[in-house]
Each structure stands twice: as C-alpha cells, then as structure tokens.
Amino acid sequence: MPPSSLFASMSPRLALAALPLFLAACASGTREAPAPRIELPPGFHHANADRSAPAAPIDPEWWRAYGDPELDALLRRVAESNPELARAEARWRQARAQVDAARALALPQLGAGASVTRRGGGASTGARRLYDAGLDLSWAPDLWGRAARSREAAAADADAQAALLDAARLALQLAAAQGYVRLRALDAQLALQAEAEVAYTRSLQITRLQYEAGLVARADVIQADTQLQSLRTQAFTLQRQRALEANALALLAGATPTDFPVAAREGALPAVPPVPAALPAELLRRRPDLAAAGRQLAAAHARLGLAQTAWLPDLTLSASAGWQSTGFARLLDAPSRVWSLGPRLAATLFDGGARRANEALFGAAYDEQAAAWRAGVLAAVRETEDALAQLATLAEQERQQARLVELASENERVVGYRYEAGEISFLEVATAQNLALSARRAALDVRAQRLAASMALVAALGGGWQPTP
C-alpha cells in the first residue's frame, strides 16, 4: 500500500504515532559510504642482505636492542618530558572530553528555574507580582541515529588522537636516537682526530730532525707543519657540529643544554641488531600514524552520515511541572500547581540549499581522508623499502670499508718506515697519512649511517619486527 493511502486510512492520532516509525524506516536507507581498501604486498622488494646472525624480535622499547644505557635513558626522558608530546597528550584528553559530551546528547535534560515578575495594565487593574517556580524535562529520542553518529565521530577522533600521540612519541624518539648516533659518531671522529694529531706531530718532529741533519729539504718541514695545522683546524668543525647535536638532544629531552649536558664518550659505536631476512608487509598495519589515519577516516564517515540525517525532522518530548501564583505565600498551594506534557515534531522545509551543501562538504571531507589514508599506506611502504635498501648496501659497504682501512693503515706504516730510511719524500708520507685518516673517518660514517637506517626501519614498521599478538 502506498504511504499516502496508509496514512489516509489511519485515525489522526494513530497516524501521528506511526509517523516517526515511518520516517525511521526511510532513514535506514541513508547512503553508506564504503570504506576504502588497499592491499599490502606480501613482502618488500628490498630484502635484507645481512644474514650473518638470526634476528631476535625487537622489544617494545626497541632502542634497548642497541645495548646503550645512555641511549635508553635519553629516550625515556624524551617520552616523559618532551613538550610536543605533552601537547599531543592534551589534545587526546580534549578528544576524550568530546566523547563524553557526545554521549550526553542522547540523555534527557532536566532543568529548574524560579522567577518573579511585576505586571501592570490600565489604571483600573494596577500592578501585581507573579511568582513562578518549576522543573523542565526534555528528551529528543535518537530516531535517526544522530546522537549515535556524533558519539561514533567523537570516539573515532579520540582514537585518532591516541594514535597520533603514539606516532609523535615514536617520531621524536627516532629523531633523538638518530641524533644520539650522530653525536657519538662525532665523539669517535674527535678521538680519531686526536690520534691523528699525535701521529702528525711525531712526523713533524722526525722531519725537523732530518732537516737539521741535512737529510731533507726545508719544504718537507713546511709540508709536515701545514698538514698538522690543517688537522687542528678541522677539529673546530667537529666540535661545532657536536655542540649543535647536543643542543638538539637537550631540546628533544625537554630541557636546556645547561640542564641536560651530554658528556663526550670515547669508544666504538654500538652494533647494528640483525634484521630478519624477510619481513611481512602486514607489520605496517600497526604503525600508529596509519591507525590514526584510519580512525580519522571513520570519523569523517560518521560526520557524513550525520549530515545526511539533516533532511529528517526533529522529535522532542518535553514535560514541565511547577507552581505559579501572584503571592509568594500561596506559591506551594495546590491551586497554584501547573504542568505540561507533549511531543514536538519540527522539520525544515526550505533552507536555500544549506543541507545539501553541508552534505557535499562532509562528503568531500571523507574523500580527502580516504586519499590521505591511502597516501599514508604508500608512504609507509616507501619508508620501509628505503630503510631496507640502505641496510642492504651499507652492510656490504662497511665490510669493504673495513678492508680499505686495513690496507691504508698498512700503507701508512710501510711509507713511514721508508721515509725514516730516507728513501722517499714527505709528500708520500702525507698522502699515505691522509688516505688512512680518510678511510677511518669513512668507516665511522658508514657505521653511523647503518645505525640510523636500522632505527629508521624499526620506526617504519611501527616499533620493530615482532608481530603484534
């Protein structure tokens, strides 16, 4: 039976009672936006080339795999004191408050009030006071799911803010860990510089003795002195870079450089933890930034559904009870009691296209979030591929660089003996010393790059390669 005939056959009261049910049935046909899907690849294109040792699962505190207590203390300090993390945590608490506010929309509203007014008319009536006190109860049944959609959007926003908090923590800890590696690499470079300065000073002393004995020319002394001075000048660049890295670490730790000094330390850089030969791309699903994008998409979808219900009428049930009297002493008497009870159905018949524009607005916002979510997935795959590609090449480069250091050191030793025997000029000595120093510096740089790439891979996978239970 057509809806018009159905309502025509009902009594007015029955038709009024059935109208909300009919409109609810109409609302159930509201268009649902499909959730986008993207299939992750079964694995990554760049496989790990370093299979010298089995890879253990990474602990949730992933930085502990590098075995550096100072790094552990630094990243804990970042998680506790970084002001950007405090801001993200405050945004999450704001979102949780919005969830509570949205939940309250579906509950009845109770109010109380009291007033006294003075009224008057013509000369025959005079002025009089009117005392009024009472309670008001109103409730808007969630016929079309508006309150439910509001709660859904608020809850998704809160989940997104929680995930963004985790993403910010991971990003800041990665920045601190990589900055710490750069700082320790500079410490190692400065230690190498000090060793080279000792060797260059000894070469200068030998050259001066040979010049005084008439075995070499004055040019050899000048060249040895120039080489030593050049080395001393380079140390200032390293010291300046180290100061800047230390300042950056203090900022990440939520402190000033004075309150958070990072003392210099000699010693080798930590070893790079082994990576599994194959990593499933499914690990990317636990990345907090992708989780945040997914929840933002859900919130946009809920708001789109909320905008679509704007075409349906509002039903409000209200009741009030109180007392009204012209005299305060008689305010609570039985004849002064008043009450009211009834429903109210209201609908907007014409709004100049505002609802249609609002629905188009939230539809476009949903499409934007869907594109952002897909872009985030592709970026996550790329970051992981980049880290794996770097690790694959840097591992072999470090082995080759270690061999180059051995050869350069042996060449420096042999050339030094030949110079002391008077067989060659100091030019060959300087060349051999500079080659050996450059090889050692490059070896430190490659190790630091491997550590940074390893940490980037851990962050790209959301905190390691241990599958989430």
Side-chain angles (χ1 to χ4, degrees):
M1 179 181 296
S4 58
S5 301
L6 177 63
F7 281 104
S9 63
M10 297 180 180
S11 64
R13 293 182 179 178
L14 184 59
L16 182 61
L19 181 59
L21 299 177
F22 173 75
L23 292 175
C26 295
S28 64
T30 302
R31 179 175 63 88
E32 294 286 343
R37 295 181 59 86
I38 182 171
E39 295 296 333
L40 292 171
F44 296 102
H45 176 68
H46 296 283
N48 176 35
D50 186 7
R51 307 186 185 186
S52 58
I58 288 292
D59 188 89
E61 294 182 338
W62 51 268
W63 55 89
R64 296 177 61 184
Y66 298 91
D68 192 324
E70 291 188 49
L71 176 63
D72 180 50
L74 170 64
L75 297 198
R76 289 179 184 275
R77 175 70 179 265
V78 170
E80 294 170 358
S81 305
N82 185 273
E84 292 300 322
L85 283 183
R87 291 181 58 193
E89 193 272 339
R91 288 192 293 268
W92 171 72
R93 287 189 282 110
Q94 293 174 42
R96 293 302 305 169
Q98 291 292 338
V99 175
D100 296 336
R103 186 178 295 114
L105 293 177
L107 301 177
Q109 305 295 314
L110 178 63
S115 65
V116 56
T117 57
R118 185 177 177 86
R119 298 181 180 178
S124 60
T125 60
R128 61 176 182 173
R129 288 188 178 90
L130 180 63
Y131 297 90
D132 193 352
L135 299 175
D136 297 308
L137 178 66
S138 65
W139 178 47
D142 193 18
L143 295 178
W144 327 125
R146 290 171 181 162
R149 290 296 179 95
S150 296
R151 291 195 304 271
E152 179 184 344
D157 283 337
D159 292 341
Q161 288 299 330
L164 288 174
L165 174 60
D166 292 338
R169 183 183 298 108
L170 180 60
L172 289 170
Q173 288 178 329
L174 173 63
Q178 292 181 330
Y180 179 82
V181 169
R182 290 192 297 270
L183 184 140
R184 291 309 179 204
L186 288 169
D187 284 344
Q189 293 279 11
L190 286 169
L192 185 63
Q193 192 91 356
E195 294 177 3
E197 184 175 352
V198 172
Y200 287 13
T201 301
R202 179 175 179 275
S203 297
L204 176 59
Q205 293 171 348
I206 293 175
T207 305
R208 282 175 174 167
L209 291 175
Q210 291 182 330
Y211 170 72
E212 292 173 358
L215 300 177
V216 299
R218 172 66 178 166
D220 284 1
V221 177
I222 297 175
Q223 188 173 13
D225 203 357
T226 301
Q227 180 181 246
L228 176 60
Q229 187 60 36
S230 175
L231 185 69
R232 288 171 176 170
T233 303
Q234 294 171 11
F236 291 101
T237 300
L238 296 176
Q239 292 169 1
R240 182 169 60 252
Q241 292 174 349
R242 190 195 185 283
L244 296 179
E245 291 290 350
N247 293 344
L249 289 182
L251 175 62
L252 290 171
T256 64
T258 303
D259 297 331
F260 192 79
V262 184
R265 188 185 72 183
E266 296 184 6
L269 293 174
V272 178
V275 181
L279 291 170
E282 288 294 321
L283 290 173
L284 295 178
R285 294 189 184 276
R286 66 177 182 177
R287 279 177 56 123
D289 57 338
L290 293 187
R295 298 311 295 156
Q296 289 170 341
L297 181 61
H301 180 253
R303 291 190 176 93
L304 174 59
L306 184 62
Q308 291 169 349
T309 64
W311 300 92
L312 304 173
D314 295 321
L315 175 64
T316 304
L317 303 178
S318 60
S320 63
W323 296 265
Q324 191 176 73
S325 176
T326 57
F328 182 77
R330 298 188 301 274
L331 182 62
L332 301 181
D333 293 345
S336 299
R337 296 175 184 172
V338 295
W339 62 272
S340 65
L341 174 68
R344 180 177 181 272
L345 192 66
T348 301
L349 300 180
F350 179 75
D351 60 3
R355 287 172 293 180
R356 190 177 303 279
N358 202 41
E359 184 177 351
L361 171 66
F362 284 103
Y366 174 83
D367 293 339
E368 178 188 5
Q369 289 298 333
W373 181 81
R374 186 174 185 274
V377 173
L378 295 177
V381 174
R382 185 221 166 153
E383 290 174 7
T384 307
E385 293 281 11
D386 287 349
L388 285 171
Q390 291 181 44
L391 284 174
T393 55
L394 287 171
E396 181 60 27
Q397 183 178 352
E398 186 175 19
R399 283 190 286 269
Q400 298 295 336
Q401 189 66 37
R403 177 58 178 160
L404 177 58
V405 170
E406 293 177 0
L407 293 173
S409 299
E410 179 65 15
N411 180 61
E412 181 185 20
R413 183 179 63 83
V414 172
V415 169
Y417 289 155
R418 293 184 62 194
Y419 179 72
E420 292 178 9
E423 298 178 2
I424 57 176
S425 67
F426 187 79
L427 177 60
E428 295 187 46
V429 176
T431 302
Q433 288 179 331
N434 290 331
L435 177 60
L437 180 59
S438 297
R440 296 187 186 102
R441 286 173 173 172
L444 285 174
D445 289 339
V446 173
R447 169 55 66 88
Q449 291 174 29
R450 276 195 70 199
L451 284 167
S454 172
M455 293 171 174
L457 176 62
V458 171
L461 295 174
W465 41 79
Q466 183 176 14
T468 302

